[in-house]
Amino acid sequence: MPLNLGQLNALVRGDAVAIRGTATLEPAGGPGDKIFPPTHAVDDRNKGPGAKYAFETRRIGGHDVTCVLIDSVQSQANRMEEALEALWSEKRIALPVVTVDFSSVAPEVGRVTSLSAPHRIADALLRDSLLDGQLFRLSAIGKSFTDASPRNATALFKVCPTGLVFGLWDSTGPKGGLGAKFQRALVSEIVGINAVAGTKTESRIDPLNILKKAADIYVAATDNERWTTDIEKAKKYENDDKDHKKDDPVRFGKEGKPSEVNHGNVTPSIVTVAGGVTIDEARHTVVLSLASLRRLGFTTGPEEARTVLAALGLLAVLASESRGHDLRSRCLLVPKKTASLKLEAVGRDGETTSLDLDLPGAIKLYNDAFAALPLEVKFEKPAGEALAELTPSPKLADLVTRSRALATADTDFAEA
Amino acid sequence: MLAIEVELLMHRYAATAHNDRARAEWPPHPARFFSALVAALHDHDDTDQAEGAALLWLEQQTAPSLRVDEELNVGTRHVQDVYVPVNDVTLVGDPEKTLRDALSKYVELVANSATAKELKAADKLVEKEQKKLEEIVRAQQVVESAPSDKALATAVAIMPDRRTRQVRTFPVVLPETPTFAFLWPNADPSPHRAALEQLCARVTRLGHSSSLVRCCVVDRDITPTLLPSDEGHVVLRVVGPGHLERLNRAFEQHEGFQSRVLPARPQRYRSAFEVATPSPKAESVFSTDWVLFERVGGSRPVASRTTDLARALRSALIELHGNQDLPPTLSGHAESGPTGQPHVAFVPLPFVGNEHADGALMGCALVLPREFAKSDRELLLRLVAKWEKERSDQGGNLTLAGGTLPPFMIRRVDVSAKAALEPVRWCRAAARFVTATPIALDRNPGNLRSNQHGTATKAVVEAQQNVSDACLRVVGVRPVSVEVSLAPLLPGAQHVREFLPWPGRPGRTPRVRVHADIRFEAPVRGPLLLGAGRYFGLGLCLPVEDR
């Protein structure tokens, strides 16, 4: 029997400390296929195989087993928020969401919401945008949650309930470090068991077989070309400098080689610091702390609010699960047969009771919990409609346009 | 018996070691757990009386035993740098701040019944700030024709795909057993049981917010694996009486978001599987109760300057005390002259004994005598607190200087990361001690450097007898053997000739100093401070392995 509202109420109100989910996953290409975990910055001294991955040693069955982090807590949280945003834009759930649309200015960024912004509703991007011509944090909605705290979370619940589930710290708002601070109640992580680092190769064969010495490439003087091999048409330096004189042609990139404009071969090389790993299996563990939700205080309808948050948490987990674990390039994981996500309630004394819930059940559970909210905290807008649609301020929009234009001109794609 | 069980719900524990941000903490420190209980206590504005009383009772108990996977059996994740997006990139910032300040000033003036003129001025300021704010909002509509580089850089950095990132480390420990327990076998929690259960139910995490836990009081018998013991090798931070008060006071300062150090006291633990070594019968007249100061800046003197530093430390406290007489236990002087009773020793602590030791003074300690009246102890601690309050700079650092000693900056610490400053390093029971700083002999033994064989040998024997007498005076037993040397016997220690004459006062005969390697029949508990200069850092001995 799928978990219903009454049962969830009992768990949230009663003795269940948490709801935990575990699943065993394997690479989509089958066990033994290579996958690519997230990379981290690596010290120059540390260039052993797989140095860029977060390896760890676990004790399993009395032995040391090498494992590797495949998706971190923070990354999983982002994915769960993305899944919730998808459900909301598909109009399947009602959720207070604040949006700002940068599509006209930065199409690749598109619409940013309180679910996708790095710091949720407290994010700098929302703070610098406008709601009906007023700066967001000076608007009624923006001011409403400034004083929210775990003792009184109602204001934040009304504008960004996901902040109460995934955590939020309004550290750069009007109250600075004393701003609204909430711990996360939902933690999810995927770890690969028995990981062995591999190698990968990098190379490119140029279909045109352009040689390195074929020509010198210069920056074009006119705007409708980026580069040219004709010195007459090259842009010239305007001043003398230590490595060039006035009226010297400007080389493209450092040395004006064809590779600077993406032509030519790339010598094949073998990469071991980030050459992927093979694993026996991957374990996905997710915990929703009901005890954390119980510590939140509300002025109205505390029980109902906590149940909504619990349902939202479960929905986030199952929604993300249903989208599959396509974590990054060459890292697609699928559940092992009979080992897909299983939920259990963890009691005060450690006893576990298994729970049954799938995505349609979770959507229904959330909608039912939502409907049970008292009027003062209920969200009025229908599914798919935002609580507030912010607009980029003309000043910011112009700056973004200009800076992105400059970036293209410089071909300076700095690592984020 | 009180047993509190904690289950790591994600089967992982993420907490940074208190003395090394790049390492994970394991086992979980009892002091950290106590802080989690205090956080739970403050969930509500009006803290529950019974819960508060329960914590006051808990802090009075002795350090708990632990049932926890030993460090050998615990997996760790290689600590990698993780880049997290910042939130302080902004074009607009907090535009309301000056208006809020003006408004609160106005309100304050009204409350204090200011004059009409002052009120009018404040009111005008508020109006001015309001106009400024409206101007800032209007400015967001204006597109600048030639924006500054800074503005452009901000616009790039604020977009989510290019957001500036800051490095953080997340060290994680993966124990085989997901549960561990804190045990107080001799405590009777009955009157506080219900309150403790309530508090435990509200402990939702331990360490980083991703270390979700389940916590409850349990009734079943749990065998400990880690026991508090002065002979142990594991040092954990624990709490003591007055801890709740300290945490509350500290909170008033940091308000939950400024960086701070958890107050705690260090407690050694040993594995329950090791055979307990019996407590030594002989112990030093000096106690293991030290007031520790760690060097945080300024000059880097080596051990040869130890007496200068000790004198500077003593002078600082005496000067603070003013003209009143210090009790003999602190000053070492009674009305009739030097007191025979052991009194407070001022001991700079050098880094010696390790392969890479360089003899640098890492800090200093006030070593209290074992027989020390409570009132004297309180006086000393008050003096130290006064010193910190009146003379510390913005960072809470104190400066020692004096004579030829360049300024040496220190800060009081409960527990230090530096090995040289760990009291137990100097205090553990051992059968063999080697001097870190030379012993100043009470009587001149003769010419140790004499070319005439007979003279030198006689002097050596005399010096050995001297050291043996000194041991008798400090620990109550004579050693079975003493070797003396002018050259240092420990890595990092210095030759006696590098040390300035002691006492170094006009009209006082300088003492002969020697290094010594002292062996006792049975282990003796330190700290071993020997010889005439023992109250000023000379004759500090390091317990070493007996080979």
Side-chain angles (χ1 to χ4, degrees), chain A residues 263-294:
Chain A
H263 288 291
N265 295 330
V266 171
T267 323
S269 61
I270 299 178
V271 175
T272 47
V273 290
V277 297
T278 45
I279 51 173
D280 281 352
E281 63 186 25
R283 291 207 191 145
H284 176 202
T285 317
V286 57
V287 173
L288 171 67
S289 171
L290 300 176
S292 285
L293 296 180
R294 281 196 286 271

Side-chain angles (χ1 to χ4, degrees), chain B residues 142-156:
Chain B
V142 169
V143 166
E144 280 177 59
S145 51
S148 66
D149 279 343
K150 184 158 176 262
L152 285 169
T154 309
V156 170

Side-chain angles (χ1 to χ4, degrees), chain B residues 285 466-479 520 530:
Chain B
V285 297
N466 235 301
V467 171
S468 175
D469 289 342
C471 289
L472 186 65
R473 194 173 304 128
V474 170
V475 292
V477 293
R478 283 192 187 276
F520 294 91
L530 300 172

Side-chain angles (χ1 to χ4, degrees), chain A residues 17-18 20 40-42 51-64 69 73-74 102 106 108-109 112 116-119 122-125 127-128 130 133-135 137-138 143 151 169 171-178 181 183-189 191 285-289 291-292 295 346-350 393-396 398-400 402-404 406-407 412-414 416, chain B residues 5 7-12 36 39-45 72-96 100 133 136-137 139-148 151-156 158-163 165 170 172 174-176 197-198 201-205 208-216 254-257 260:
Chain A
V17 170
R20 177 165 51 201
H40 301 80
V42 97
K52 285 193 174 186
Y53 301 137
F55 280 100
E56 61 192 37
T57 334
R58 292 192 171 214
R59 294 282 298 186
I60 302 180
H63 306 289
D64 280 338
L69 177 66
V73 168
Q74 290 79 4
F102 272 83
E108 62 280 18
V109 170
V112 176
S116 57
H119 287 255
D123 196 73
L125 196 56
R127 186 179 65 221
D128 284 6
L130 305 173
Q134 173 64 284
L135 281 170
R137 291 310 294 267
L138 301 180
K143 281 187 182 217
R151 288 183 191 156
W169 187 14
S171 63
T172 50
K175 288 171 78 169
L178 291 171
K181 192 172 186 188
Q183 303 173 6
R184 49 169 61 88
L186 183 57
V187 176
S188 174
E189 201 178 53
V191 175
T285 317
V286 57
V287 173
L288 171 67
S289 171
S292 285
R295 286 176 84 183
V346 181
R348 186 85 79 85
D349 51 0
S393 71
K395 188 187 202 130
L396 179 58
D398 176 66
L399 285 172
V400 171
R402 280 178 200 254
S403 61
R404 279 168 127 79
L406 278 175
D412 173 24
F413 297 111
Chain B
E5 181 181 68
E7 177 187 347
L8 300 165
L9 292 171
M10 290 282 295
H11 218 130
R12 77 214 266 289
L41 175 70
H42 288 283
D43 267 355
H44 311 296
D45 270 320
L72 291 170
N73 290 341
V74 147
T76 46
R77 177 170 301 164
H78 291 164
V79 175
Q80 301 279 18
D81 286 342
V82 173
Y83 286 85
V84 290
V86 301
N87 205 27
D88 54 2
V89 185
T90 178
L91 278 184
V92 164
D94 184 10
E96 234 189 0
R100 282 199 304 271
L133 182 61
I136 292 178
V137 174
Q140 300 310 306
Q141 301 287 347
V142 169
V143 166
E144 280 177 59
S145 51
S148 66
L152 285 169
T154 309
V156 170
I158 203 176
M159 300 306 279
D161 55 337
R162 305 269 185 102
R163 180 70 61 92
R165 283 160 199 250
F170 295 103
V172 167
L174 309 142
E176 191 167 4
E197 280 176 350
Q198 275 167 241
R202 302 208 298 272
V203 172
T204 51
R205 69 163 171 100
H208 187 255
S209 63
S210 62
S211 289
L212 295 176
V213 297
R214 170 184 71 80
C215 178
C216 65
H254 59 71
E255 296 183 283
F257 77 95
R260 63 245 186 216

Side-chain angles (χ1 to χ4, degrees), chain A residues 8 12 153 157 160-165 185-186 288 290 293 296 298 302-315 366 369 373:
Chain A
L8 185 61
V12 172
F157 179 80
C160 186
T162 45
L164 296 172
V165 174
L186 183 57
L288 171 67
L290 300 176
L293 296 180
L296 295 172
F298 298 88
E303 311 265 346
E304 293 86 348
R306 291 181 195 127
T307 308
V308 165
L309 292 174
L312 189 57
L314 290 173
L315 182 57
Y366 173 76
L373 282 173

Side-chain angles (χ1 to χ4, degrees), chain A residues 116-167:
Chain A
S116 57
H119 287 255
R120 308 194 170 103
I121 203 172
D123 196 73
L125 196 56
L126 299 181
R127 186 179 65 221
D128 284 6
S129 299
L130 305 173
L131 178 57
D132 298 329
Q134 173 64 284
L135 281 170
F136 175 54
R137 291 310 294 267
L138 301 180
S139 68
I141 294 178
K143 281 187 182 217
S144 68
F145 65 91
T146 303
D147 289 322
S149 75
R151 288 183 191 156
N152 184 354
T154 305
L156 190 61
F157 179 80
K158 287 166 75 167
V159 300
C160 186
T162 45
L164 296 172
V165 174
F166 294 102

Side-chain angles (χ1 to χ4, degrees), chain B residues 123-139:
Chain B
D123 192 39
K124 275 193 93 162
L125 184 63
V126 167
E127 263 186 52
K128 184 169 147 220
E129 292 299 339
Q130 258 164 354
K131 285 210 171 53
K132 264 202 332 215
L133 182 61
E134 285 162 25
E135 186 51 47
I136 292 178
V137 174
R138 267 199 295 273

